[in-house]
Amino acid sequence: MKLKKLYCKALRLRRRIQHPYCAAVIVAAGSATRMQGSGKILASICGEPVLVGSLRAFDACVLVDEIIVVARKDDLQAVATLCRDYKKVRAVVCGGASRPESVMAGIAAASEYTELVAVHDGARPFVTDAIICAAAGF
């Protein structure tokens, strides 16, 4: 059992060395206009908030080193509470007046080591590890 743990740790370290430091910016700061102001990020799907699907996928991906979540001002506390269960979440920041401003707010909160940024729409909970890796070119 101990040998298996060491082997898995070595594989994770090897993968970490072989890719640039990647920050995932999960944008969840939309105005929810089509939903009459009710944010879809916190809406329940399959018994959990929509945002959880995206958080789970990026947290589990070996190519992602940290996650920045961008949320609406009204949702900051609820989103921060959701993010506590995910070890790679570095920050939850307030979004801007437009999507580009929200993305830039997320990038600004990324670590100084960041070489690669993955931007994902938090309202797309069914992203897979394979899709994330393919988008990163791996």
mmCIF file of all heavy atoms in Angstrom, residues 63-113:
data_model
loop_
_atom_site.group_PDB
_atom_site.id
_atom_site.type_symbol
_atom_site.label_atom_id
_atom_site.label_comp_id
_atom_site.label_asym_id
_atom_site.label_seq_id
_atom_site.Cartn_x
_atom_site.Cartn_y
_atom_site.Cartn_z
ATOM 1 N N LEU A 63 -3.687 19.273 -14.254
ATOM 2 C CA LEU A 63 -3.056 20.384 -14.970
ATOM 3 C C LEU A 63 -3.386 21.743 -14.371
ATOM 4 O O LEU A 63 -2.765 22.741 -14.712
ATOM 5 C CB LEU A 63 -3.476 20.369 -16.443
ATOM 6 C CG LEU A 63 -3.043 19.150 -17.246
ATOM 7 C CD1 LEU A 63 -3.562 19.250 -18.675
ATOM 8 C CD2 LEU A 63 -1.537 18.992 -17.229
ATOM 9 N N VAL A 64 -4.369 21.791 -13.499
ATOM 10 C CA VAL A 64 -4.795 23.048 -12.881
ATOM 11 C C VAL A 64 -4.156 23.162 -11.506
ATOM 12 O O VAL A 64 -4.302 22.275 -10.669
ATOM 13 C CB VAL A 64 -6.334 23.117 -12.780
ATOM 14 C CG1 VAL A 64 -6.777 24.351 -12.011
ATOM 15 C CG2 VAL A 64 -6.956 23.108 -14.170
ATOM 16 N N ASP A 65 -3.453 24.259 -11.296
ATOM 17 C CA ASP A 65 -2.754 24.467 -10.032
ATOM 18 C C ASP A 65 -3.549 25.308 -9.036
ATOM 19 O O ASP A 65 -3.394 25.144 -7.830
ATOM 20 C CB ASP A 65 -1.402 25.132 -10.299
ATOM 21 C CG ASP A 65 -0.517 24.235 -11.142
ATOM 22 O OD1 ASP A 65 -0.124 23.170 -10.639
ATOM 23 O OD2 ASP A 65 -0.250 24.571 -12.308
ATOM 24 N N GLU A 66 -4.371 26.207 -9.533
ATOM 25 C CA GLU A 66 -5.194 27.020 -8.646
ATOM 26 C C GLU A 66 -6.459 27.445 -9.380
ATOM 27 O O GLU A 66 -6.518 27.412 -10.609
ATOM 28 C CB GLU A 66 -4.436 28.255 -8.157
ATOM 29 C CG GLU A 66 -4.107 29.252 -9.240
ATOM 30 C CD GLU A 66 -3.329 30.447 -8.707
ATOM 31 O OE1 GLU A 66 -2.383 30.261 -7.918
ATOM 32 O OE2 GLU A 66 -3.671 31.575 -9.084
ATOM 33 N N ILE A 67 -7.453 27.832 -8.592
ATOM 34 C CA ILE A 67 -8.748 28.252 -9.132
ATOM 35 C C ILE A 67 -9.100 29.605 -8.539
ATOM 36 O O ILE A 67 -8.983 29.799 -7.322
ATOM 37 C CB ILE A 67 -9.855 27.237 -8.791
ATOM 38 C CG1 ILE A 67 -9.531 25.854 -9.359
ATOM 39 C CG2 ILE A 67 -11.215 27.729 -9.296
ATOM 40 C CD1 ILE A 67 -10.421 24.736 -8.822
ATOM 41 N N ILE A 68 -9.539 30.498 -9.412
ATOM 42 C CA ILE A 68 -10.085 31.784 -8.980
ATOM 43 C C ILE A 68 -11.537 31.783 -9.430
ATOM 44 O O ILE A 68 -11.830 31.518 -10.604
ATOM 45 C CB ILE A 68 -9.365 32.984 -9.623
ATOM 46 C CG1 ILE A 68 -7.913 33.216 -9.180
ATOM 47 C CG2 ILE A 68 -10.083 34.282 -9.266
ATOM 48 C CD1 ILE A 68 -7.016 32.197 -8.958
ATOM 49 N N VAL A 69 -12.454 32.044 -8.525
ATOM 50 C CA VAL A 69 -13.879 32.097 -8.867
ATOM 51 C C VAL A 69 -14.310 33.558 -8.852
ATOM 52 O O VAL A 69 -14.028 34.282 -7.899
ATOM 53 C CB VAL A 69 -14.732 31.269 -7.874
ATOM 54 C CG1 VAL A 69 -16.206 31.342 -8.249
ATOM 55 C CG2 VAL A 69 -14.264 29.821 -7.847
ATOM 56 N N VAL A 70 -14.969 33.964 -9.918
ATOM 57 C CA VAL A 70 -15.463 35.330 -10.033
ATOM 58 C C VAL A 70 -16.984 35.272 -9.884
ATOM 59 O O VAL A 70 -17.654 34.564 -10.636
ATOM 60 C CB VAL A 70 -15.083 35.952 -11.395
ATOM 61 C CG1 VAL A 70 -15.523 37.402 -11.456
ATOM 62 C CG2 VAL A 70 -13.587 35.824 -11.646
ATOM 63 N N ALA A 71 -17.512 35.993 -8.907
ATOM 64 C CA ALA A 71 -18.945 35.928 -8.604
ATOM 65 C C ALA A 71 -19.566 37.319 -8.553
ATOM 66 O O ALA A 71 -18.863 38.321 -8.427
ATOM 67 C CB ALA A 71 -19.152 35.222 -7.263
ATOM 68 N N ARG A 72 -20.898 37.331 -8.627
ATOM 69 C CA ARG A 72 -21.631 38.592 -8.447
ATOM 70 C C ARG A 72 -21.475 39.040 -7.003
ATOM 71 O O ARG A 72 -21.340 38.214 -6.093
ATOM 72 C CB ARG A 72 -23.130 38.397 -8.716
ATOM 73 C CG ARG A 72 -23.461 38.006 -10.117
ATOM 74 C CD ARG A 72 -24.933 37.976 -10.413
ATOM 75 N NE ARG A 72 -25.768 37.360 -9.391
ATOM 76 C CZ ARG A 72 -27.092 37.388 -9.411
ATOM 77 N NH1 ARG A 72 -27.730 37.995 -10.371
ATOM 78 N NH2 ARG A 72 -27.785 36.810 -8.462
ATOM 79 N N LYS A 73 -21.542 40.336 -6.796
ATOM 80 C CA LYS A 73 -21.402 40.892 -5.443
ATOM 81 C C LYS A 73 -22.425 40.266 -4.497
ATOM 82 O O LYS A 73 -22.093 39.906 -3.359
ATOM 83 C CB LYS A 73 -21.571 42.412 -5.487
ATOM 84 C CG LYS A 73 -21.351 43.086 -4.173
ATOM 85 C CD LYS A 73 -21.485 44.597 -4.299
ATOM 86 C CE LYS A 73 -21.243 45.253 -2.952
ATOM 87 N NZ LYS A 73 -21.356 46.705 -3.020
ATOM 88 N N ASP A 74 -23.661 40.101 -4.967
ATOM 89 C CA ASP A 74 -24.724 39.540 -4.133
ATOM 90 C C ASP A 74 -24.490 38.074 -3.765
ATOM 91 O O ASP A 74 -25.055 37.580 -2.795
ATOM 92 C CB ASP A 74 -26.077 39.654 -4.845
ATOM 93 C CG ASP A 74 -26.511 41.094 -5.054
ATOM 94 O OD1 ASP A 74 -25.950 41.989 -4.382
ATOM 95 O OD2 ASP A 74 -27.402 41.321 -5.885
ATOM 96 N N ASP A 75 -23.673 37.380 -4.566
ATOM 97 C CA ASP A 75 -23.438 35.953 -4.353
ATOM 98 C C ASP A 75 -22.093 35.638 -3.702
ATOM 99 O O ASP A 75 -21.784 34.474 -3.471
ATOM 100 C CB ASP A 75 -23.510 35.201 -5.691
ATOM 101 C CG ASP A 75 -24.884 35.226 -6.322
ATOM 102 O OD1 ASP A 75 -25.876 35.420 -5.592
ATOM 103 O OD2 ASP A 75 -24.970 35.046 -7.558
ATOM 104 N N LEU A 76 -21.289 36.645 -3.430
ATOM 105 C CA LEU A 76 -19.923 36.407 -2.937
ATOM 106 C C LEU A 76 -19.869 35.501 -1.714
ATOM 107 O O LEU A 76 -19.092 34.547 -1.678
ATOM 108 C CB LEU A 76 -19.222 37.727 -2.616
ATOM 109 C CG LEU A 76 -18.545 38.436 -3.781
ATOM 110 C CD1 LEU A 76 -17.972 39.774 -3.323
ATOM 111 C CD2 LEU A 76 -17.470 37.585 -4.415
ATOM 112 N N GLN A 77 -20.676 35.769 -0.720
ATOM 113 C CA GLN A 77 -20.635 34.968 0.507
ATOM 114 C C GLN A 77 -21.047 33.524 0.258
ATOM 115 O O GLN A 77 -20.378 32.589 0.713
ATOM 116 C CB GLN A 77 -21.524 35.589 1.594
ATOM 117 C CG GLN A 77 -21.403 34.896 2.938
ATOM 118 C CD GLN A 77 -19.992 34.919 3.492
ATOM 119 O OE1 GLN A 77 -19.315 35.933 3.473
ATOM 120 N NE2 GLN A 77 -19.535 33.788 3.995
ATOM 121 N N ALA A 78 -22.133 33.331 -0.488
ATOM 122 C CA ALA A 78 -22.606 31.974 -0.773
ATOM 123 C C ALA A 78 -21.586 31.204 -1.612
ATOM 124 O O ALA A 78 -21.324 30.015 -1.359
ATOM 125 C CB ALA A 78 -23.949 32.026 -1.495
ATOM 126 N N VAL A 79 -20.986 31.862 -2.587
ATOM 127 C CA VAL A 79 -19.989 31.205 -3.436
ATOM 128 C C VAL A 79 -18.735 30.887 -2.622
ATOM 129 O O VAL A 79 -18.175 29.795 -2.739
ATOM 130 C CB VAL A 79 -19.669 32.075 -4.677
ATOM 131 C CG1 VAL A 79 -18.466 31.536 -5.426
ATOM 132 C CG2 VAL A 79 -20.885 32.147 -5.601
ATOM 133 N N ALA A 80 -18.305 31.809 -1.782
ATOM 134 C CA ALA A 80 -17.135 31.557 -0.936
ATOM 135 C C ALA A 80 -17.371 30.348 -0.027
ATOM 136 O O ALA A 80 -16.469 29.531 0.171
ATOM 137 C CB ALA A 80 -16.805 32.795 -0.111
ATOM 138 N N THR A 81 -18.571 30.219 0.487
ATOM 139 C CA THR A 81 -18.918 29.072 1.329
ATOM 140 C C THR A 81 -18.823 27.769 0.534
ATOM 141 O O THR A 81 -18.274 26.784 1.012
ATOM 142 C CB THR A 81 -20.321 29.243 1.933
ATOM 143 O OG1 THR A 81 -20.331 30.430 2.727
ATOM 144 C CG2 THR A 81 -20.707 28.056 2.795
ATOM 145 N N LEU A 82 -19.332 27.775 -0.700
ATOM 146 C CA LEU A 82 -19.245 26.584 -1.561
ATOM 147 C C LEU A 82 -17.793 26.206 -1.843
ATOM 148 O O LEU A 82 -17.457 25.028 -1.924
ATOM 149 C CB LEU A 82 -19.922 26.854 -2.911
ATOM 150 C CG LEU A 82 -21.396 26.622 -3.056
ATOM 151 C CD1 LEU A 82 -21.835 26.971 -4.471
ATOM 152 C CD2 LEU A 82 -21.766 25.195 -2.742
ATOM 153 N N CYS A 83 -16.956 27.198 -2.014
ATOM 154 C CA CYS A 83 -15.572 26.973 -2.424
ATOM 155 C C CYS A 83 -14.686 26.409 -1.328
ATOM 156 O O CYS A 83 -13.596 25.916 -1.605
ATOM 157 C CB CYS A 83 -14.973 28.267 -2.964
ATOM 158 S SG CYS A 83 -15.689 28.763 -4.540
ATOM 159 N N ARG A 84 -15.132 26.455 -0.098
ATOM 160 C CA ARG A 84 -14.315 25.964 1.020
ATOM 161 C C ARG A 84 -13.929 24.492 0.883
ATOM 162 O O ARG A 84 -12.912 24.064 1.420
ATOM 163 C CB ARG A 84 -15.054 26.153 2.346
ATOM 164 C CG ARG A 84 -15.123 27.578 2.779
ATOM 165 C CD ARG A 84 -15.770 27.698 4.138
ATOM 166 N NE ARG A 84 -16.033 29.101 4.426
ATOM 167 C CZ ARG A 84 -17.039 29.532 5.129
ATOM 168 N NH1 ARG A 84 -17.896 28.687 5.661
ATOM 169 N NH2 ARG A 84 -17.202 30.819 5.337
ATOM 170 N N ASP A 85 -14.744 23.725 0.189
ATOM 171 C CA ASP A 85 -14.489 22.289 0.049
ATOM 172 C C ASP A 85 -13.473 21.947 -1.040
ATOM 173 O O ASP A 85 -13.165 20.776 -1.236
ATOM 174 C CB ASP A 85 -15.796 21.549 -0.239
ATOM 175 C CG ASP A 85 -16.769 21.625 0.922
ATOM 176 O OD1 ASP A 85 -16.319 21.768 2.072
ATOM 177 O OD2 ASP A 85 -17.985 21.544 0.672
ATOM 178 N N TYR A 86 -12.957 22.951 -1.752
ATOM 179 C CA TYR A 86 -12.070 22.701 -2.893
ATOM 180 C C TYR A 86 -10.694 23.296 -2.613
ATOM 181 O O TYR A 86 -10.542 24.495 -2.477
ATOM 182 C CB TYR A 86 -12.703 23.254 -4.182
ATOM 183 C CG TYR A 86 -14.029 22.591 -4.413
ATOM 184 C CD1 TYR A 86 -15.207 23.162 -3.939
ATOM 185 C CD2 TYR A 86 -14.102 21.342 -5.006
ATOM 186 C CE1 TYR A 86 -16.422 22.517 -4.088
ATOM 187 C CE2 TYR A 86 -15.308 20.694 -5.151
ATOM 188 C CZ TYR A 86 -16.467 21.283 -4.688
ATOM 189 O OH TYR A 86 -17.663 20.631 -4.818
ATOM 190 N N LYS A 87 -9.700 22.408 -2.532
ATOM 191 C CA LYS A 87 -8.373 22.811 -2.065
ATOM 192 C C LYS A 87 -7.645 23.753 -3.017
ATOM 193 O O LYS A 87 -6.767 24.500 -2.590
ATOM 194 C CB LYS A 87 -7.525 21.575 -1.785
ATOM 195 C CG LYS A 87 -7.231 20.747 -3.014
ATOM 196 C CD LYS A 87 -6.391 19.531 -2.696
ATOM 197 C CE LYS A 87 -6.010 18.863 -3.993
ATOM 198 N NZ LYS A 87 -6.274 17.515 -4.129
ATOM 199 N N LYS A 88 -7.980 23.737 -4.288
ATOM 200 C CA LYS A 88 -7.255 24.574 -5.239
ATOM 201 C C LYS A 88 -7.818 25.988 -5.362
ATOM 202 O O LYS A 88 -7.218 26.831 -6.024
ATOM 203 C CB LYS A 88 -7.240 23.920 -6.621
ATOM 204 C CG LYS A 88 -6.390 22.664 -6.679
ATOM 205 C CD LYS A 88 -6.348 22.106 -8.076
ATOM 206 C CE LYS A 88 -5.573 20.804 -8.132
ATOM 207 N NZ LYS A 88 -5.578 20.245 -9.500
ATOM 208 N N VAL A 89 -8.938 26.266 -4.731
ATOM 209 C CA VAL A 89 -9.516 27.612 -4.831
ATOM 210 C C VAL A 89 -8.624 28.583 -4.070
ATOM 211 O O VAL A 89 -8.441 28.468 -2.863
ATOM 212 C CB VAL A 89 -10.964 27.662 -4.314
ATOM 213 C CG1 VAL A 89 -11.474 29.098 -4.310
ATOM 214 C CG2 VAL A 89 -11.867 26.791 -5.181
ATOM 215 N N ARG A 90 -8.056 29.530 -4.801
ATOM 216 C CA ARG A 90 -7.155 30.532 -4.224
ATOM 217 C C ARG A 90 -7.929 31.761 -3.760
ATOM 218 O O ARG A 90 -7.590 32.370 -2.756
ATOM 219 C CB ARG A 90 -6.118 30.937 -5.270
ATOM 220 C CG ARG A 90 -5.207 32.064 -4.867
ATOM 221 C CD ARG A 90 -4.296 32.447 -6.033
ATOM 222 N NE ARG A 90 -3.547 33.642 -5.757
ATOM 223 C CZ ARG A 90 -2.384 33.691 -5.136
ATOM 224 N NH1 ARG A 90 -1.838 32.576 -4.687
ATOM 225 N NH2 ARG A 90 -1.771 34.834 -4.951
ATOM 226 N N ALA A 91 -8.963 32.128 -4.536
ATOM 227 C CA ALA A 91 -9.704 33.345 -4.209
ATOM 228 C C ALA A 91 -11.088 33.312 -4.831
ATOM 229 O O ALA A 91 -11.321 32.653 -5.839
ATOM 230 C CB ALA A 91 -8.945 34.570 -4.718
ATOM 231 N N VAL A 92 -11.992 34.051 -4.203
ATOM 232 C CA VAL A 92 -13.317 34.337 -4.764
ATOM 233 C C VAL A 92 -13.368 35.852 -4.846
ATOM 234 O O VAL A 92 -13.224 36.537 -3.830
ATOM 235 C CB VAL A 92 -14.455 33.802 -3.866
ATOM 236 C CG1 VAL A 92 -15.806 34.176 -4.451
ATOM 237 C CG2 VAL A 92 -14.339 32.288 -3.706
ATOM 238 N N VAL A 93 -13.505 36.363 -6.070
ATOM 239 C CA VAL A 93 -13.472 37.808 -6.279
ATOM 240 C C VAL A 93 -14.768 38.296 -6.917
ATOM 241 O O VAL A 93 -15.502 37.518 -7.532
ATOM 242 C CB VAL A 93 -12.254 38.239 -7.144
ATOM 243 C CG1 VAL A 93 -10.950 37.867 -6.454
ATOM 244 C CG2 VAL A 93 -12.322 37.632 -8.526
ATOM 245 N N CYS A 94 -14.993 39.582 -6.768
ATOM 246 C CA CYS A 94 -16.198 40.198 -7.318
ATOM 247 C C CYS A 94 -16.017 40.471 -8.803
ATOM 248 O O CYS A 94 -14.963 40.956 -9.226
ATOM 249 C CB CYS A 94 -16.469 41.494 -6.559
ATOM 250 S SG CYS A 94 -18.074 42.202 -6.923
ATOM 251 N N GLY A 95 -17.047 40.171 -9.578
ATOM 252 C CA GLY A 95 -17.009 40.402 -11.014
ATOM 253 C C GLY A 95 -17.178 41.861 -11.371
ATOM 254 O O GLY A 95 -17.529 42.696 -10.539
ATOM 255 N N GLY A 96 -16.954 42.159 -12.647
ATOM 256 C CA GLY A 96 -17.074 43.521 -13.143
ATOM 257 C C GLY A 96 -18.413 43.754 -13.814
ATOM 258 O O GLY A 96 -19.325 42.931 -13.744
ATOM 259 N N ALA A 97 -18.505 44.884 -14.510
ATOM 260 C CA ALA A 97 -19.741 45.279 -15.181
ATOM 261 C C ALA A 97 -19.988 44.470 -16.455
ATOM 262 O O ALA A 97 -21.114 44.402 -16.946
ATOM 263 C CB ALA A 97 -19.697 46.763 -15.515
ATOM 264 N N SER A 98 -18.949 43.832 -16.980
ATOM 265 C CA SER A 98 -19.076 43.030 -18.200
ATOM 266 C C SER A 98 -18.267 41.751 -18.038
ATOM 267 O O SER A 98 -17.446 41.635 -17.118
ATOM 268 C CB SER A 98 -18.555 43.818 -19.407
ATOM 269 O OG SER A 98 -17.156 44.031 -19.266
ATOM 270 N N ARG A 99 -18.484 40.808 -18.942
ATOM 271 C CA ARG A 99 -17.727 39.556 -18.864
ATOM 272 C C ARG A 99 -16.219 39.795 -18.982
ATOM 273 O O ARG A 99 -15.451 39.239 -18.178
ATOM 274 C CB ARG A 99 -18.206 38.570 -19.925
ATOM 275 C CG ARG A 99 -17.464 37.236 -19.817
ATOM 276 C CD ARG A 99 -18.048 36.193 -20.737
ATOM 277 N NE ARG A 99 -17.274 34.975 -20.666
ATOM 278 C CZ ARG A 99 -17.503 33.978 -19.835
ATOM 279 N NH1 ARG A 99 -18.500 34.066 -18.971
ATOM 280 N NH2 ARG A 99 -16.764 32.894 -19.842
ATOM 281 N N PRO A 100 -15.751 40.614 -19.945
ATOM 282 C CA PRO A 100 -14.306 40.851 -20.001
ATOM 283 C C PRO A 100 -13.742 41.443 -18.702
ATOM 284 O O PRO A 100 -12.656 41.059 -18.265
ATOM 285 C CB PRO A 100 -14.144 41.838 -21.166
ATOM 286 C CG PRO A 100 -15.326 41.582 -22.042
ATOM 287 C CD PRO A 100 -16.436 41.221 -21.099
ATOM 288 N N GLU A 101 -14.488 42.333 -18.066
ATOM 289 C CA GLU A 101 -14.033 42.902 -16.794
ATOM 290 C C GLU A 101 -13.989 41.827 -15.711
ATOM 291 O O GLU A 101 -13.083 41.812 -14.872
ATOM 292 C CB GLU A 101 -14.944 44.046 -16.355
ATOM 293 C CG GLU A 101 -14.777 45.307 -17.172
ATOM 294 C CD GLU A 101 -15.698 46.430 -16.714
ATOM 295 O OE1 GLU A 101 -16.191 46.397 -15.567
ATOM 296 O OE2 GLU A 101 -15.914 47.345 -17.523
ATOM 297 N N SER A 102 -14.956 40.930 -15.717
ATOM 298 C CA SER A 102 -14.970 39.838 -14.731
ATOM 299 C C SER A 102 -13.790 38.900 -14.947
ATOM 300 O O SER A 102 -13.137 38.486 -13.989
ATOM 301 C CB SER A 102 -16.291 39.073 -14.821
ATOM 302 O OG SER A 102 -17.366 39.889 -14.416
ATOM 303 N N VAL A 103 -13.512 38.565 -16.194
ATOM 304 C CA VAL A 103 -12.370 37.695 -16.500
ATOM 305 C C VAL A 103 -11.079 38.367 -16.042
ATOM 306 O O VAL A 103 -10.211 37.732 -15.417
ATOM 307 C CB VAL A 103 -12.321 37.343 -18.004
ATOM 308 C CG1 VAL A 103 -11.018 36.625 -18.349
ATOM 309 C CG2 VAL A 103 -13.520 36.477 -18.382
ATOM 310 N N MET A 104 -10.938 39.648 -16.320
ATOM 311 C CA MET A 104 -9.725 40.370 -15.921
ATOM 312 C C MET A 104 -9.589 40.429 -14.393
ATOM 313 O O MET A 104 -8.472 40.349 -13.873
ATOM 314 C CB MET A 104 -9.708 41.774 -16.511
ATOM 315 C CG MET A 104 -9.511 41.792 -18.023
ATOM 316 S SD MET A 104 -8.072 40.855 -18.594
ATOM 317 C CE MET A 104 -6.740 41.796 -17.900
ATOM 318 N N ALA A 105 -10.702 40.538 -13.679
ATOM 319 C CA ALA A 105 -10.659 40.518 -12.211
ATOM 320 C C ALA A 105 -10.127 39.169 -11.721
ATOM 321 O O ALA A 105 -9.348 39.102 -10.767
ATOM 322 C CB ALA A 105 -12.036 40.802 -11.626
ATOM 323 N N GLY A 106 -10.550 38.100 -12.374
ATOM 324 C CA GLY A 106 -10.059 36.771 -12.011
ATOM 325 C C GLY A 106 -8.582 36.610 -12.306
ATOM 326 O O GLY A 106 -7.815 36.096 -11.479
ATOM 327 N N ILE A 107 -8.156 37.063 -13.481
ATOM 328 C CA ILE A 107 -6.739 36.966 -13.853
ATOM 329 C C ILE A 107 -5.882 37.784 -12.888
ATOM 330 O O ILE A 107 -4.801 37.349 -12.481
ATOM 331 C CB ILE A 107 -6.532 37.403 -15.314
ATOM 332 C CG1 ILE A 107 -7.193 36.387 -16.262
ATOM 333 C CG2 ILE A 107 -5.046 37.561 -15.636
ATOM 334 C CD1 ILE A 107 -7.245 36.816 -17.708
ATOM 335 N N ALA A 108 -6.370 38.952 -12.505
ATOM 336 C CA ALA A 108 -5.622 39.811 -11.574
ATOM 337 C C ALA A 108 -5.411 39.135 -10.220
ATOM 338 O O ALA A 108 -4.431 39.417 -9.528
ATOM 339 C CB ALA A 108 -6.344 41.142 -11.391
ATOM 340 N N ALA A 109 -6.298 38.235 -9.840
ATOM 341 C CA ALA A 109 -6.188 37.542 -8.553
ATOM 342 C C ALA A 109 -5.331 36.278 -8.628
ATOM 343 O O ALA A 109 -5.052 35.658 -7.605
ATOM 344 C CB ALA A 109 -7.587 37.185 -8.040
ATOM 345 N N ALA A 110 -4.904 35.918 -9.829
ATOM 346 C CA ALA A 110 -4.099 34.706 -10.002
ATOM 347 C C ALA A 110 -2.696 34.890 -9.427
ATOM 348 O O ALA A 110 -2.196 36.007 -9.300
ATOM 349 C CB ALA A 110 -4.015 34.343 -11.485
ATOM 350 N N SER A 111 -2.084 33.793 -9.096
ATOM 351 C CA SER A 111 -0.737 33.777 -8.539
ATOM 352 C C SER A 111 0.276 34.385 -9.508
ATOM 353 O O SER A 111 0.109 34.328 -10.723
ATOM 354 C CB SER A 111 -0.343 32.326 -8.251
ATOM 355 O OG SER A 111 1.036 32.205 -8.051
ATOM 356 N N GLU A 112 1.340 34.901 -8.964
ATOM 357 C CA GLU A 112 2.419 35.460 -9.788
ATOM 358 C C GLU A 112 3.127 34.378 -10.601
ATOM 359 O O GLU A 112 3.829 34.673 -11.559
ATOM 360 C CB GLU A 112 3.434 36.186 -8.906
ATOM 361 C CG GLU A 112 4.147 35.252 -7.939
ATOM 362 C CD GLU A 112 5.051 35.971 -6.959
ATOM 363 O OE1 GLU A 112 4.553 36.869 -6.266
ATOM 364 O OE2 GLU A 112 6.239 35.617 -6.892
ATOM 365 N N TYR A 113 2.938 33.117 -10.238
ATOM 366 C CA TYR A 113 3.566 32.010 -10.951
ATOM 367 C C TYR A 113 2.775 31.596 -12.194
ATOM 368 O O TYR A 113 3.234 30.767 -12.964
ATOM 369 C CB TYR A 113 3.705 30.790 -10.029
ATOM 370 C CG TYR A 113 4.465 31.097 -8.773
ATOM 371 C CD1 TYR A 113 3.821 31.116 -7.543
ATOM 372 C CD2 TYR A 113 5.818 31.397 -8.808
ATOM 373 C CE1 TYR A 113 4.512 31.408 -6.382
ATOM 374 C CE2 TYR A 113 6.519 31.695 -7.649
ATOM 375 C CZ TYR A 113 5.852 31.698 -6.443
ATOM 376 O OH TYR A 113 6.549 31.989 -5.297
#
